[in-house]
């Protein structure tokens, strides 16, 4: 897990696998993308362009690789380097408090996108029916 960054405008930072490498090696993966154009701090700074792309093991929060494109991507990648090195998944990143408004929130929002895509739909539908029944 050697991270790298190309200091262009915008910066491009990466750690672990990217999509092309995962396909070439036949490594099963899921891709979650969060667009930085939605991030309050990026909007306030006039830097609302770029994305966070996270590759994970299918149906698991284990991170296989991350690509960040945007302002300060070289700084933002550090959270993912630590997570991958220590075996911390996206659920733990999502549960970490990030200061508002900062660019680092992009990492948390990417984890939130992953979590939303993996919400237990059958359980949520059952809970919704149960509460509707309780309310009468």
């Amino acid at each position: 897990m050697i991270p790298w960054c190309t200091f262009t405008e915008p910066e491009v930072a990466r750690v672990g696998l990217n999509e092309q490498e995962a396909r070439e090696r036949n490594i099963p993966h899921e891709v979650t993308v969060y667009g930085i154009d939605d991030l309050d701090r990026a909007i306030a700074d006039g830097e609302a362009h770029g994305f966070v792309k996270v590759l994970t093991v299918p149906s698991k929060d284990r991170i296989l690789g991350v690509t960040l494109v945007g302002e300060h991507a070289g700084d933002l990648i550090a959270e993912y380097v630590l997570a991958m090195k220590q075996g911390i998944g996206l659920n733990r990143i999502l549960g970490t408090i990030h200061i508002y408004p900062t660019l680092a929130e992009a990492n948390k929002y990417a984890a939130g996108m992953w979590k939303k895509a993996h919400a237990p739909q059958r359980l949520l539908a059952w809970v919704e029916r149960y509460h509707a029944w309780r309310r009468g």
Side-chain angles (χ1 to χ4, degrees), residues 1-3 15-16 62-66 77-89 93:
M1 285 173 275
I2 307 286
V15 63
R62 190 171 75 95
I63 303 165
L64 296 173
V66 178
I77 199 75
E79 185 170 19
Y80 288 110
V81 174
L82 176 66
M84 291 176 70
K85 177 93 172 135
Q86 299 301 318
I88 297 168
I93 290 175

Side-chain angles (χ1 to χ4, degrees), residues 91-107:
N91 281 314
R92 291 244 176 116
I93 290 175
L94 181 60
T96 301
I97 297 171
H98 291 71
I99 297 170
Y100 175 85
T102 60
L103 294 174
E105 283 185 302
N107 295 341

Side-chain angles (χ1 to χ4, degrees), residues 4-8 10-14 67-70 73-74:
W4 63 260
C5 183
T6 303
F7 295 98
T8 55
E11 292 180 10
V12 179
R14 202 182 110 203
T67 301
L68 277 142
V69 176

